[in-house]
Amino acid sequence: MSDLSALADRLGGVRAEIAQAARDASRDPDDITLIVVTKFHPASLVRSLYELGVRNVGENRHQEASDKARETADLEMTWHFIGQLQSNKARAALEYADVIHSIDRESLVSALERAWIDRQGSDPRPPVDAFIQINLTDDPGRGGINPHELEAFTTRVLQTQSLNLQGVMAVAPLNEDPAQAFERIARASATVTSLKPDARFISAGMSQDFREAISIGATHLRIGTAITGNRPVAG
Ligand SMILES: *Cc1c(COP(=O)(O)O)cnc(C)c1O
């Protein structure tokens, strides 16, 4: 079987499972956006996915995302940045990122705001779609805002001109039932929509837990290995 037909099979299988999980949760599958995570894979995989109808891809490392987006600039692809973003890369990330899922601290918000305002003179662009990342663990070293700080942080994000807040994002902890962890993201989502009712989107669910994520209302799934196969070793 060719690489492309194996990829098509895995993609079709995941799409069918998403549709089934949506029906099981009495949800419309069209309300769910599948983002295929292409990290560590070459730009040629992005092209293959495009041929198969994928229009949303995700990357978690800035340099890799920047290079790949440039190599595939001829495609109408929406680029989602899903990893930790260093503040000193904020300006460069605005070059390619259509959506940033990992807004997780004040210094990053300030850096994006300054960079976005600076470039309005030369190369204006609309505000970037953004998700606030929630830390679902007790470990402050993990990315994301502590749920207790979410209300104040959301208010801060809503003061910016550069970020168009879409909702919340999280990664389920490894050592916990994902359904239980995702309950906390549903609560975080309620906090955000109390401040901005249309910021109702929830970015949650990966290869191992997207069915549970759909059942708690996830609207944006970030799925890598279940579609791409195993990742090559990091270069
Ligand atoms: C790698 C990654 C994913 C996809 O993980 P898979 O287990 O390969 O589906 C999703 N979200 C984030 C933040 C990631 O870094």
Side-chain angles (χ1 to χ4, degrees), residues 193-206:
T193 55
S194 73
L195 296 166
K196 185 186 181 206
D198 66 354
R200 63 178 180 82
F201 297 102
I202 299 179
S203 167
M206 309 179 15

Side-chain angles (χ1 to χ4, degrees), residues 37 39 60 82-83 169 171 205-208 222-226 231:
V37 178
K39 63 189 184 197
N60 74 336
I82 63 174
M169 176 273 212
V171 176
M206 309 179 15
S207 293
Q208 299 304 324
R222 309 177 311 267
I223 302 184
T225 47
R231 283 185 274 274

Side-chain angles (χ1 to χ4, degrees), residues 10 19 22 25 32-33 54 75 92 100 104-105 122 133 135 145 157-158 162 167 170 181 188-189 205 209 222:
R10 289 190 301 263
I32 298 173
T33 300
V54 170
L75 307 179
I100 301 176
D104 64 353
R105 59 198 193 281
S122 54
Q133 185 173 353
N135 185 351
I145 286 286
V157 170
L158 293 177
S162 55
S189 175
D209 57 21
R222 309 177 311 267

Side-chain angles (χ1 to χ4, degrees), residues 15-30 32 211 214-215:
R15 280 183 172 144
E17 285 190 65
I18 291 170
Q20 184 60 50
R23 280 192 297 275
D24 291 347
S26 307
R27 297 185 55 201
D28 181 349
D30 290 344
I32 298 173
R211 299 163 200 81
I214 289 169
S215 73

